[in-house]
Amino acid sequence: MSGLPLASVPDPVLELRNVSFMRSGKVLLDHGNLMLTQQGRTIIIGPNGAGKSLLMRLAHGLLEPSSGTIVCRHNGSGTPRQAMVFQRPVLLRRSSLANVTHALALRGVPRRIRRNQAEQALARFGLTHLAQRPARILSGGEQQRLALARAWALEPDILFLDEPSSALDPAATKAVEDAVNVFFRKGTKIVMTTHDLGQARRLADEVVFMCCGRILERTPAATFFDTPTTVAAAAFLRGELVLAPWESPTPLTTNG
Ligand SMILES: Nc1ncnc2c1ncn2[C@@H]1O[C@H](COP(=O)(O)OP(=O)(O)O)[C@@H](O)[C@H]1O
Ligand SMILES: [Mg+2]
């Protein structure tokens, strides 16, 4: 049953077909199948070591799958523009503004319009007053907003966010959540991991639940939190499922 209503929606923007990832003889992602559509905020949750970050890196093209295929499409054809925001932003030893113009340069944006686009992106996330400040001396929350502004300047069709607020205080976390919704309202596909279940409830339109290198379910958020489809997800929501990566996935049964 799980995922059927969403799976029947046409026009997938990102599809994982039987994707596995192995290292040192260990299966870290086990035949993952997932179809994401342009609509909605997809929140990936699951215990530590489940493979959430791995899945995002594979989907974003930072890692090559050991087997299987990842298909990206935009409006039925073409390659979607993608951006990714990490738990700890990767910033250059340059000003905030230069961090954004540099990203635009890499994307091939002509020099004469880079600065203007970068300034608009900084303004969108309340960073205009920090434009000339070295990015490395910004606070954690400001750095994350800069990473979001840099992503915004790239006008991604899909934005991946891997635990973007887990190193931040509540106010900065709120700013990140607001920023996610700014992208969402613009039509950007949101794919985000979090270990904060409150945040998952606030943001998710659909939940992908992972455990032990497996994608166990993809369920509309409205039903996931009340009636998760798998035993493992139910245990996770009760706070009972905290598996270390080396623990066996076999006791987990699914009906999917
Ligand atoms: N590039 C890699 N090489 C080897 N092992 C990895 C690599 N990336 C992740 N892992 C391992 O894969 C498992 C899943 O990691 P990760 O995706 O970071 O989990 P999560 O984000 O769900 O906490 C962990 O056991 C981790 O140590
Ligand atoms: Mg992770």
Side-chain angles (χ1 to χ4, degrees), residues 111-123:
R111 178 182 290 272
R112 64 196 147 74
I113 56 174
R114 272 179 224 155
R115 188 182 171 106
N116 185 262
Q117 285 190 7
E119 284 173 349
Q120 283 181 22
L122 291 179

Side-chain angles (χ1 to χ4, degrees), residues 185-242:
R185 283 195 297 273
K186 204 194 177 201
T188 307
K189 173 67 187 181
I190 303 294
V191 185
M192 172 172 157
T193 67
T194 180
H195 68 251
D196 176 348
L197 285 177
Q199 181 169 69
R201 284 175 189 270
R202 286 191 293 278
L203 294 177
D205 295 303
E206 64 173 2
V207 173
V208 169
F209 178 74
M210 293 187 70
C211 191
C212 306
R214 296 182 190 172
I215 299 168
L216 291 187
E217 59 177 296
R218 192 193 72 176
T219 311
T223 50
F224 178 83
F225 293 105
D226 293 333
T227 50
T229 320
T230 56
V231 173
F236 179 74
L237 287 175
R238 288 194 303 270
E240 290 167 10
L241 186 72
V242 189

Side-chain angles (χ1 to χ4, degrees), residues 4-6 32 40 50 56 63 89 102 104 111 133 135-136 158 160 245:
L4 260 184
L6 281 162
M56 301 261 282
L63 288 172
H102 180 74
L104 288 169
R111 178 182 290 272
R133 190 142 333 155
R136 299 277 181 99
I158 310 178
F160 297 96

Side-chain angles (χ1 to χ4, degrees), residues 21 23 28 46-55 63 162 245:
F21 185 83
R23 278 290 184 279
L28 301 174
N48 276 334
K52 304 182 294 295
S53 297
L54 201 56
L55 182 80
L63 288 172
D162 194 4

Side-chain angles (χ1 to χ4, degrees), residues 96-115:
S96 302
L97 182 69
N99 267 272
V100 183
T101 53
H102 180 74
L104 288 169
L106 291 180
R107 192 53 73 85
V109 174
R111 178 182 290 272
R112 64 196 147 74
I113 56 174
R114 272 179 224 155
R115 188 182 171 106

